[in-house]
Amino acid sequence: MTNGVQGNKPHRVAFCTPTVTKPLPAYLDAMEASIPALEAAGIDHRMVFEIGSPYISAARATMLRKALDDGAETVVFLDHDLSWRPEDLVALVTTPGDVVGGLYRFKKDDEEYMGTLALDSAGRPRGRFAEGTETLVLHAERIPAGFMKITRQGVARFMRAYPELQYGDATSPHIDLFNHGAHEGVWWGEDYAFSRRWLGCGGELLIIPDLDLNHHSADRAYPGNFNNFLMRCPGGALDPNREAT
């Protein structure tokens, strides 16, 4: 699937955002700007918010249940302090894979990205073109959940693998995808705990590196594009110290 449409049926997507008060203006502007692109791609979209919950894993589990009950085929988790280009949100939805995300910067001056890549035996990132597309994806070991999708099939796989993380009505249980805490002597945050479990049940973690994602504080944006960052790293195509060949 490259355009969000399966035959004549629109692909139904739920965008889920937890927030203590309300999303930042940059998030709202990015979402509003994305609506025409989503509709042009044939994507039937819904918004789900969970406002005021101090527990982000519980907020995401609540939103996920609502999205699934509404028939969502794909659930996209978006943090309230991110912004993006419309085409980047469409790419996230339409790139094949049960779990696909984008990496964005920490809120600090040094350009450093959340998440870790899966490397080959030579220490290089493992990448390929997503099935049936010209979109490059990289394999990851850990990803943040602020710009991440999971398909309905992916949720079902996770639920089968981790029944102990289900709760609520037995006929339509919630699943705590982002259950966090201590594991083998290390404290795991919710994003990386999900990543660990997803890989543990045989799933793939994929990222789209060429996304323009901005991470916002109240008064400053931290813009980033992970693909461009990699190209500027030592040995990359844009490394200023690389010798011309």
Side-chain angles (χ1 to χ4, degrees):
M1 180 186 69
T2 58
N3 63 0
V5 179
Q6 298 173 326
N8 295 320
K9 177 186 175 184
H11 187 79
R12 178 166 289 192
V13 177
F15 298 104
C16 298
T17 297
T19 179
V20 175
T21 54
K22 61 181 181 180
L24 293 180
Y27 167 100
L28 296 173
D29 291 344
M31 182 56 73
E32 182 177 6
S34 298
I35 291 173
L38 292 167
E39 293 180 348
I43 297 169
D44 179 10
H45 51 89
R46 303 286 191 274
M47 292 296 304
V48 184
F49 290 97
E50 189 69 18
I51 301 172
S53 174
Y55 305 109
I56 191 169
S57 59
R60 287 181 177 147
T62 299
M63 292 186 295
L64 176 62
R65 184 69 263 164
K66 292 177 180 178
L68 295 175
D69 288 344
D70 189 52
E73 298 163 85
T74 297
V75 177
V76 177
F77 293 102
L78 298 171
D79 278 359
H80 78 287
D81 55 357
L82 291 181
S83 65
W84 55 86
R85 300 175 302 180
E87 58 265 36
D88 292 333
L89 191 58
V90 172
L92 180 67
V93 172
T94 60
T95 297
D98 281 329
V99 175
V100 182
L103 304 189
Y104 43 89
R105 288 177 57 181
F106 288 97
K107 297 178 188 179
K108 61 182 185 178
D109 290 337
D110 293 338
E111 189 173 358
E112 182 181 351
Y113 289 78
M114 299 182 185
T116 59
L117 296 179
L119 304 178
D120 63 18
S121 59
R124 298 169 299 197
R126 293 169 48 214
R128 58 179 170 81
F129 289 106
E131 182 180 356
T133 76
E134 296 181 358
T135 301
L136 175 67
V137 291
L138 300 179
H139 292 263
E141 292 290 337
R142 307 286 180 256
I143 64 172
F147 199 81
M148 188 200 90
K149 80 162 186 184
I150 184 168
T151 65
R152 193 178 191 94
Q153 293 80 6
V155 174
R157 180 177 191 161
F158 192 97
M159 293 178 77
R160 289 192 296 269
Y162 304 104
E164 70 277 10
L165 297 181
Q166 298 181 35
Y167 65 97
D169 186 345
T171 63
S172 57
H174 292 61
I175 178 68
D176 191 6
L177 290 181
F178 300 99
N179 180 272
H180 57 284
H183 174 74
E184 296 182 351
V186 177
W187 175 267
W188 291 72
E190 73 278 354
D191 310 68
Y192 285 13
F194 166 77
S195 299
R196 185 192 76 236
R197 290 191 178 98
W198 179 246
L199 292 176
C201 67
E204 286 186 324
L205 284 175
L206 301 176
I207 67 156
I208 307 169
D210 191 13
L211 302 174
D212 286 352
L213 301 180
N214 307 308
H215 205 183
H216 297 265
S217 63
D219 57 358
R220 179 178 173 184
Y222 297 83
N225 180 299
F226 188 62
N227 183 70
N228 294 345
F229 171 76
L230 290 178
M231 293 178 70
R232 293 193 304 271
C233 287
L238 299 180
D239 176 9
N241 298 316
R242 181 177 179 176
E243 294 182 2
T245 57

